Amino acid sequence: MSKSRVVYTEISPSEFFYRNRDLAGFTNPSRALYSAVRELIENSLDACELFQILPEIYIRISALNDLQPDPKPYVIKVKDNGPGVDPKYVPNAFGKIFFGSKFLLRQSRGIFGMGGTMAILYGQITTNKPVIVSTSSDGKTIHTFELFINIQDNTPNIVRKAQHPANGETGTSVEITLEGDFQRASLKIYEYLRQTAMVAPYANITFMDPQGFITIFQRATQIMPKPPQETLPHPYGIDVEALKRMLRQSKQDTMLKFMYKNFHRVGKRIARKFLEYANIDLNRSPKSLNDDEIVSFVEALHNYNGFLQPDASCLSPIGEEILAAGINKELKPEFIAVTTRPPSAYSGFPFIVEIGLAYGGKVLQPGLKLFRFANRIPLLYDEANDISWKVIHEEVDWKRYKIPSDAPLAIITHICSTKVPYKTVGKEYLADRPEIERELKNGIREVLRRLSSYLSKKGSMEMIKRKINIYEKYLPLIAQFSTELSGAKRLPQYKKLIGKIG
Amino acid sequence: MSKSRVVYTEISPSEFFYRNRDLAGFTNPSRALYSAVRELIENSLDACELFQILPEIYIRISALNDLQPDPKPYVIKVKDNGPGVDPKYVPNAFGKIFFGSKFLLRQSRGIFGMGGTMAILYGQITTNKPVIVSTSSDGKTIHTFELFINIQDNTPNIVRKAQHPANGETGTSVEITLEGDFQRASLKIYEYLRQTAMVAPYANITFMDPQGFITIFQRATQIMPKPPQETLPHPYGIDVEALKRMLRQSKQDTMLKFMYKNFHRVGKRIARKFLEYANIDLNRSPKSLNDDEIVSFVEALHNYNGFLQPDASCLSPIGEEILAAGINKELKPEFIAVTTRPPSAYSGFPFIVEIGLAYGGKVLQPGLKLFRFANRIPLLYDEANDISWKVIHEEVDWKRYKIPSDAPLAIITHICSTKVPYKTVGKEYLADRPEIERELKNGIREVLRRLSSYLSKKGSMEMIKRKINIYEKYLPLIAQFSTELSGAKRLPQYKKLIGKIG
């Protein structure tokens, strides 16, 4: 039997995701259009927020040929007023998979650092058109690049470069031509924009659709969340590979210094105690640990229970005020409740859960609607797989709160973390982490309690009103009859009685 | 505002999957142990089947330290009698992500070509132990390699190499040390082995667990499915990138030859008709097409309805005989039905759906159990997300088949394809493709119909039996009474009557 059937080949990262684009949410023309739009918007918002710039995002989708039926080529243009991209990084940042600025321990919408490049790759393989990137990072010059991705090599292939004077403003615009299906994607795209506006009410978002209709999501607040910070790794999240790298790169000459300089929330006191626990000399050189010692050191890091929980100062939750502003703006409810849970952590990664609840008003329909967010991204696909759905439908005892099942209700969940535990590169839904589940459950119960007490107050108010109505109707008659019956000349002072009810 | 906050870096493929190992099913010690075992077994079975070798697979999981509680380091060893790996490919095949033998248009269990390497990577980052690979591809020499993956560079780092004489047999053994949780993983591992044995009854599989218990899944048939063949791409599955590569590499001097030499099921006649439809001169050189022509050519490939559907001769379904043998062996049911659907295709990829049904017997418990397989892999996680689950629970009208809801029932679904549309690198479940959904639905209805008619036959048989019992009991008495009443001397010939019932 010939062995020639086994052919070994190496493929590039671009090639891998080119072949398996379903993994990144680029499954078909409708889904691909949606994914491309969201990835570009997320990059723009991440950039603006990191530099505390109030975002102005402009999105345009236009058909190359209006008369052709879907699926067909569309041009997507997304333009922002962010910090811009240093021109020397543009080719790789847009034309190379696994090259990017998101490979840090810091909260951001992007987490795999490849969404934008995937959108460019998808455009290129369906329409053979280059991406056009125009960016200014200094406000003086706009640098324009047209480029393809050389998929087999995973390298950028620049086909045109140009420079123009900028008018003092920074920002980036990206234009991709791809085969899309707007008719099928449009509902999801509008929903995505509306929900993004809900959790980023400090942004102006303008969208022009292929028919030329313009939708503006206007800024509702000038307050921006504080920018997320990069953070040191927590001991619980360290594996052998990570520790080896840290030891190799360490500039400290003793293990004591190494411990309190390189780990999240490890000070001198904890470092000293831990090294005693791990049986490592405080004065040893970090570079002197051998392989076996490294393994037991990692074990000790995981088992020692004297470390502090990760703190969340590096995170950037939406905040109750901004979240409430966003919900009020988009859902205009009769009643609103928001709560931010205290910071918690899973496997060494800090996270914060925020819950919002909206009830009644003119926008909400009867029944429960769930809005899911993670690091401020609306998650619109695969709802039933998500941990929030699981908590709401399987773990909350709804009878306790006496909320009618057809109540016009929305629950908003937001999880922010330096590492959101997505189960897919397409960022559709979160894995079941018990720590996150617990916080979601507590937060949802909290807002449901508040709604429940609002409804019961409203209920007793209504009962009283009804009582008063009845008394107002019948007391005068009773008063009149009894006056007539008794032969008295004046009606009794029954009006005071009505005032006393309640 | 300083721009130093934006730091661009490039990461290697190993680094990407090291950081995002949840994506590949390496989420925690229990899941990682399970994933490592299955990836190694799948590689062994793929290799054996490609060379039509009746598989002998030996798996051993042992704890480094029996007394330590879980999670703890385990050694996984998987050994096969496959064709072996040419020693010159061993370092890259085991020490480099995106290097492998599975990047072909051919049915195989492995589809992303990275599962084995991920298991090695996970072992290394949790225990700092190298993988040990021993392989012989010529039957003369066994080559042993101990190696690490250099994660930052995505290159193999060989720490030991040795050679020993082989005893004439080929095969590969892989030994990985990783942090696992056998207590939590054991149920899934046993279930995985049992289900693998069910669809590969031509394999001998021996498993030794950490307590030293040995489970043997014995071969039940010598018949092996024919090996899968590599196939040419179908016109419907071609995008701009693929066409460009094909044109660039083409050895043909005319477009006519190019068409009928490079595409699946395109002969001269269809090639000619298509080129007329696409408005391309039959005699043009393939290398002369410009970018715009390439784009419209791809459009024409997708829109032309004169191509034949992909044929499935390249696929290797289990086959009704082997599937029935496997089900009989593992489930020992009272009634069995299997059906292989005719080949079909989605986006240019051929696929075949096979359905099995088992009812009653001593193994099955009351209620429905679903066994899902794709390219002969048992899928054990995320059942409720899977297309088979959706079809069974949402699209089949169970009332029609009059099967009691507590019937002891198992449904087995198997989908084989040159490209299984997994939604995750961890190969947990399949995306909803309407073409696959349709075939599943038809197949499931077919086996349910057969069970339904079996049950109704069995039901009427039982009814008849009950009737006969009643007659047998009362007819003699009636006969006796009536004989006495009429004063006759002999009983009537009622025994014949009983024989006639039914």
Side-chain angles (χ1 to χ4, degrees), chain A residues 180-361:
Chain A
D181 186 335
F182 185 75
Q183 214 192 322
R184 292 196 175 185
S186 65
L187 266 180
K188 287 274 184 199
I189 290 174
Y190 275 106
E191 185 63 20
Y192 176 83
L193 292 170
R194 189 164 73 103
Q195 294 193 22
T196 298
M198 192 151 90
V199 289
Y202 45 85
N204 269 335
I205 299 174
T206 307
F207 173 52
M208 187 194 274
D209 83 1
Q211 280 79 47
F213 289 116
I214 294 178
T215 312
I216 298 174
F217 298 87
Q218 200 107 38
R219 182 173 294 136
T221 171
Q222 303 278 332
I223 312 168
M224 279 186 84
K226 66 180 177 52
Q229 302 292 325
E230 200 187 340
T231 178
L232 291 172
H234 189 277
Y236 291 156
I238 294 296
D239 56 44
V240 170
E241 172 76 15
L243 183 67
K244 272 167 110 173
R245 287 188 199 177
M246 288 166 77
L247 291 169
R248 200 162 56 219
Q249 290 158 8
S250 105
K251 295 189 188 83
Q252 293 82 33
D253 54 354
T254 70
M255 280 305 286
L256 180 64
K257 280 188 203 155
F258 172 78
M259 277 307 293
Y260 72 74
K261 287 279 186 196
N262 290 294
F263 290 96
H264 183 60
R265 298 202 79 188
V266 175
K268 263 189 204 167
R269 197 182 53 86
I270 292 179
R272 198 181 296 272
K273 278 199 173 167
F274 169 72
L275 287 169
E276 277 161 23
Y277 167 85
N279 227 341
I280 298 268
D281 188 332
L282 306 181
N283 295 314
R284 265 186 76 173
S285 155
K287 297 205 167 55
S288 74
L289 270 69
N290 68 30
D291 279 359
D292 285 345
E293 285 173 319
I294 288 175
V295 174
S296 20
F297 196 81
V298 169
E299 226 166 81
L301 285 172
H302 293 177
N303 293 332
Y304 183 62
N305 54 25
F307 291 120
L308 299 173
Q309 279 287 306
D311 90 323
S313 63
C314 58
L315 295 182
S316 167
I318 301 170
E320 297 188 1
E321 194 181 347
I322 300 179
L323 183 57
I327 295 173
N328 268 323
K329 179 182 156 220
E330 295 301 323
L331 301 178
K332 301 185 178 56
E334 172 192 324
F335 173 81
I336 192 169
V338 293
T339 183
T340 300
R341 297 286 310 158
S344 182
Y346 78 92
S347 325
F349 300 109
F351 71 89
I352 291 178
V353 164
E354 301 179 281
I355 307 286
L357 176 146
Y359 170 85

Side-chain angles (χ1 to χ4, degrees), chain B residues 168 232 436:
Chain B
L232 291 171
I436 297 179

